[in-house]
């Protein structure tokens, strides 16, 4: 689809999603190698359609997941496999907040990740309302139900 229409943001978004799922089954080396391509696809999707909150959320998820790699795995990857991409929880938070600004309430999981970023940045006061909003949200969507349970669990730790 990208070959036929390089201007289709959906194609880049879904290519990034599929590469991410696919790389989960191929081990850490391939996952690290593919992580750059995954981010490039999400970036291209945002470039082509800056008003899509889901693409912005996916970049935030990518940043969060990469930032969440423990230091010992990051060090091992550097010497054994390949260099991990550089990002931060601050960058992840920026993308999640931008997604929320584009379309408030489009996905309760976005609220969860805003809260999780604030927790990672040691800002419980900012995390709490986002986690509470997620925990209070009613949905039949399985991903949002899972987000609701995780938010409730995180709230008990604050």
């Amino acid at each position: 689809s990208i070959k036929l229409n390089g201007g289709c943001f959906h194609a880049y978004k879904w290519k990034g999603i599929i590469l991410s799922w696919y790389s989960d089954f191929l081990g850490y080396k391939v996952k690290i190698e593919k992580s750059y391509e995954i981010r490039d696809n999400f970036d291209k999707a945002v470039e082509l359609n800056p008003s899509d909150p889901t693409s912005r959320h996916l970049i935030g998820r990518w940043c969060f997941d990469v930032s969440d790699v423990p230091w010992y795995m990051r060090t091992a990857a550097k010497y054994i496999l390949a260099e991990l991409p550089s990002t931060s929880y601050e960058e992840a938070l920026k993308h999640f907040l931008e997604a929320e600004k584009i379309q408030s309430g489009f996905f309760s999981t976005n609220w969860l990740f805003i809260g999780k970023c604030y927790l990672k940045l040691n800002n419980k006061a900012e995390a709490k309302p986002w986690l509470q909003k997620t925990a209070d949200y009613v949905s039949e969507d399985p991903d949002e139900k899972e987000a609701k349970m995780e938010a409730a669990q995180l709230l008990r730790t604050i």
Side-chain angles (χ1 to χ4, degrees):
S1 149
I2 290 172
K3 287 181 183 176
L4 293 175
N5 181 4
C8 177
F9 84 97
H10 288 293
Y12 288 98
K13 177 170 60 175
W14 280 101
K15 182 179 179 189
I17 291 168
I18 291 166
L19 277 172
S20 181
W21 288 338
Y22 175 69
S23 66
D24 284 343
F25 296 102
L26 300 176
Y28 284 115
K29 184 172 194 235
V30 174
K31 189 166 182 67
I32 292 167
E33 291 167 351
K34 292 291 180 192
S35 66
Y36 293 94
E37 187 178 353
I38 292 165
R39 172 67 190 256
D40 290 345
N41 279 281
F42 292 154
D43 284 341
K44 186 68 173 177
V46 167
E47 177 189 318
L48 292 171
N49 185 358
S51 63
D52 177 42
T54 305
S55 296
R56 188 63 75 168
H57 171 82
L58 290 167
I59 295 174
R61 288 287 292 265
W62 182 92
C63 293
F64 187 92
D65 290 346
V66 170
S67 297
D68 220 30
V69 173
W71 70 269
Y72 63 89
M73 287 180 70
R74 191 174 286 281
T75 303
K78 182 177 180 179
Y79 290 106
I80 299 169
L81 305 170
E83 185 76 32
L84 282 172
S86 178
T87 189
S88 65
Y89 293 116
E90 291 88 354
E91 184 179 0
L93 178 60
K94 179 187 86 165
H95 290 290
F96 294 132
L97 290 171
E98 183 62 28
E100 189 63 18
K101 183 176 158 190
I102 292 167
Q103 186 180 340
S104 182
F106 77 100
F107 190 38
S108 68
T109 302
N110 195 63
W111 299 334
L112 170 67
F113 274 89
I114 291 171
K116 288 172 71 167
C117 282
Y118 280 125
L119 286 178
K120 292 289 187 178
L121 296 169
N122 295 314
N123 190 338
K124 291 179 181 179
E126 287 291 332
K128 192 171 184 176
W130 292 102
L131 295 172
Q132 191 63 59
K133 195 175 198 179
T134 310
D136 293 343
Y137 190 72
V138 177
S139 174
E140 292 303 313
D141 179 270
D143 290 333
E144 293 190 311
K145 283 182 174 182
E146 188 176 320
K148 178 184 179 92
M149 289 189 307
E150 185 176 349
Q153 183 179 24
L154 288 170
L155 282 167
R156 287 191 291 275
T157 69
I158 295 178

